């Protein structure tokens, strides 16, 4: 039973007092009145007493009518919704999915920095040392990266780094897509990844210099990604990539309402040389690209040199007037 609030208690108490004084006879004083008043009261006294009682009764009735609604509101049980605990996956989904109600207008140039090859907690924690937004790109779940789905579930935003066949490179610990794979094989692989990363909206390629320059392979991959509502970010591991050609021949609506393009592509590689000075120079180049183009996409890796260079560049970024954003926050008119 709900507890009565102080206002309700006060009203009820006042009503009880009024009722006691006006309707309940005073048992202790009755014998005394019988002894003292032995003569029958006059007609005038009786009439005055009756009028006084009627007036008090009417006041009580008026009081009750005036406060009836207040009593009703306070006595009725009030049901409050129970607080709910946010679902981490729901929060991740909200963050990983662009809001269709947002205003798609840049207030300043934007820079999205992707750090590829994330396969464990240690690498992800290094990213958290950088005091601005960095988009982690996780390897799919394999023996070498068995915890990446769980790590991704804790990230404000993430991508998946998909291993694609290279011309002269291979790592046996990964599950690869090859240029001669059928569309069904690609579909099965992407759906398995989506099962592990249910809020996935962006994928970029790990290597892929052979795969991405094959028109048939890219047609199958991009068609499957579109069917699964995933935007492809071309890492441009080869200048011969066929991503742009596919979308030229197959016009496709963007999956992000604030990005007027069905795919994205890398502008700057940050750490093709593991030298803090070189990485810093490439970072500055990414800033200048963002200023001239309105936005830029830079890609790096979780090397200690890269992390240190990005941490040291925090003040420079702040003074540059360029905003660091997640890849899904890029606004591309």
């Amino acid at each position: 039973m709900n507890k009565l609030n102080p206002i309700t208690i006060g009203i009820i108490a006042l009503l009880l007092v009024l009722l006691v004084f006006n309707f309940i006879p005073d048992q202790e004083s009755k014998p005394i009145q019988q002894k003292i008043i032995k003569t029958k009261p006059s007609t005038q006294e009786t009439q005055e007493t009756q009028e006084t009682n009627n007036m008090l009764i009417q006041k009580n009735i008026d009081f009750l009518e005036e406060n009836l609604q207040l009593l009703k509101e306070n006595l009725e049980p009030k049901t409050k919704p129970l607080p709910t605990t946010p679902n981490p996956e729901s929060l991740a989904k909200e963050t990983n999915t662009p809001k269709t109600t947002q205003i798609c207008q840049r207030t300043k140039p934007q820079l999205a920095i992707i750090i590829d090859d994330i396969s464990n907690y240690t690498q992800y924690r290094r990213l958290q040392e950088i005091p601005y937004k960095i988009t982690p790109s996780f390897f799919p779940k394999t023996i070498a990266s068995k915890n990446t789905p769980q790590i991704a579930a804790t990230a404000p935003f993430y991508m998946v780094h998909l291993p694609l066949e290279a011309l002269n490179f291979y790592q046996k610990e990964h599950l690869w897509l090859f240029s001669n794979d059928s569309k069904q094989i690609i579909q099965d692989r992407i759906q398995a990844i989506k099962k592990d990363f249910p809020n996935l909206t962006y994928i970029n390629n790990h290597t892929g210099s052979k795969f991405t320059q094959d028109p048939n392979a890219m047609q199958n991959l991009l068609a499957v990604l579109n069917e699964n509502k995933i935007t492809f970010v071309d890492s441009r591991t080869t200048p011969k990539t066929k991503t742009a050609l596919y979308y030229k021949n197959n016009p496709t609506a963007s999956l992000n309402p604030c990005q007027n393009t069905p795919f994205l592509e890398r502008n700057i590689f940050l750490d093709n040389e593991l030298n803090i000075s070189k990485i810093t120079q490439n970072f500055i180049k990414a800033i200048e690209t963002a200023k001239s183009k309105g936005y830029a996409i830079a890609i790096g890796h979780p090397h200690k040199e890269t992390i240190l260079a990005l941490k040291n560049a925090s003040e420079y970024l702040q003074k540059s007037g360029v905003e660091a954003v997640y890849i899904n926050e890029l606004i591309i008119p």
Side-chain angles (χ1 to χ4, degrees):
M1 180 175 178
N2 293 344
K3 293 183 178 180
L4 297 179
N5 62 36
I7 296 175
T8 304
I9 295 172
I11 293 171
I12 293 173
L14 183 58
L15 289 175
L16 289 174
V17 170
L18 290 171
L19 290 171
V20 166
F21 277 97
N22 289 285
F23 297 102
I24 302 175
D26 191 341
Q27 298 295 333
E28 293 182 1
S29 61
K30 187 174 180 181
I32 299 173
Q33 289 177 356
Q34 289 175 348
K35 291 179 181 179
I36 296 173
I37 305 172
K38 295 182 179 180
T39 59
K40 184 178 180 180
S42 66
T43 304
Q44 183 179 354
E45 289 176 342
T46 303
Q47 185 176 358
E48 287 176 355
T49 302
Q50 185 64 41
E51 288 176 356
T52 301
N53 287 338
N54 289 341
M55 181 180 67
L56 290 173
I57 291 170
Q58 187 59 47
K59 285 185 177 181
N60 288 339
I61 292 172
D62 293 341
F63 180 86
L64 286 170
E65 288 178 348
E66 290 172 3
N67 292 275
L68 181 61
Q69 186 60 35
L70 180 61
L71 281 168
K72 184 178 179 181
E73 291 174 356
N74 284 280
L75 290 172
E76 283 180 351
K78 297 180 180 179
T79 304
K80 295 182 179 180
L82 295 175
T84 57
T85 303
N87 187 328
E89 290 190 2
S90 298
L91 292 177
K93 185 173 182 178
E94 288 178 5
T95 308
N96 244 43
T97 305
K99 297 179 180 180
T100 56
T101 57
Q102 71 185 98
I103 299 174
C104 301
Q105 184 175 356
R106 283 195 302 261
T107 57
K108 57 180 68 176
Q110 295 177 309
L111 173 61
I113 298 176
I114 301 169
I115 297 298
D116 287 342
D117 296 0
I118 304 297
S119 60
N120 56 57
Y121 278 106
T122 300
Q123 293 172 331
Y124 181 64
R125 290 192 191 102
R126 287 178 190 164
L127 298 192
Q128 295 177 303
E129 297 173 6
I130 301 171
Y132 47 89
K133 291 180 179 180
I134 300 290
T135 300
S137 193
F138 293 95
F139 276 129
K141 181 180 178 180
T142 61
I143 295 176
S145 50
K146 58 185 178 180
N147 294 321
T148 51
Q150 289 78 16
I151 304 170
T154 69
F157 182 80
Y158 66 86
M159 297 172 52
V160 161
H161 196 42
L162 181 65
L164 299 179
E165 184 181 10
L167 288 170
N168 300 297
F169 184 80
Y170 179 75
Q171 294 167 312
K172 63 181 181 179
E173 64 267 26
H174 296 304
L175 292 177
W176 296 84
L177 286 178
F178 297 96
S179 54
N180 60 352
D181 283 341
S182 67
K183 184 178 179 181
Q184 187 59 52
I185 290 175
I186 296 173
Q187 176 78 292
D188 293 344
R189 181 69 182 126
I190 296 302
Q191 288 186 344
I193 291 172
K194 279 202 70 175
K195 184 177 180 181
D196 289 332
F197 300 86
N199 304 316
L200 178 63
T201 55
Y202 286 76
I203 273 181
N204 72 328
N205 53 296
H206 174 62
T207 69
S209 54
K210 181 176 182 179
F211 191 105
T212 58
Q213 67 174 290
D214 186 305
N216 292 328
M218 288 303 287
Q219 179 170 335
N220 289 333
L221 174 64
L222 297 175
V224 168
L225 292 180
N226 291 332
E227 291 167 7
N228 286 274
K229 308 299 181 185
I230 299 172
T231 298
F232 184 63
V233 181
D234 194 335
S235 300
R236 291 191 63 82
T237 54
T238 173
K240 298 179 180 179
T241 175
K242 297 298 187 291
T243 303
L245 178 62
Y246 170 82
Y247 284 109
K248 181 180 178 180
N249 295 333
N250 301 272
T252 305
S254 172
L255 296 172
N256 186 325
C258 287
Q259 295 175 354
N260 191 29
T261 175
F263 75 101
L264 301 174
E265 56 185 356
R266 185 261 316 159
N267 302 115
I268 303 292
F269 262 135
L270 293 173
D271 52 6
N272 43 0
E273 293 183 58
L274 285 182
N275 177 286
I276 292 178
S277 178
K278 292 287 186 182
I279 295 169
T280 302
Q281 290 176 23
N282 288 333
F283 180 85
I284 293 172
K285 186 185 293 186
I287 293 287
E288 296 306 314
T289 301
K291 287 181 177 180
S292 62
K293 188 178 179 181
Y295 74 95
I297 299 173
I299 290 180
H301 302 83
H303 304 300
K304 61 181 181 179
E305 295 88 350
T306 306
I307 302 301
L308 183 57
L310 292 177
K311 287 169 62 178
N312 291 342
S314 176
E315 186 176 354
Y316 179 85
L317 172 64
Q318 187 176 9
K319 292 180 179 179
S320 72
V322 173
E323 179 185 16
V325 298
Y326 296 124
I327 194 77
N328 70 323
E329 296 175 328
L330 284 176
I331 296 174
I332 305 173

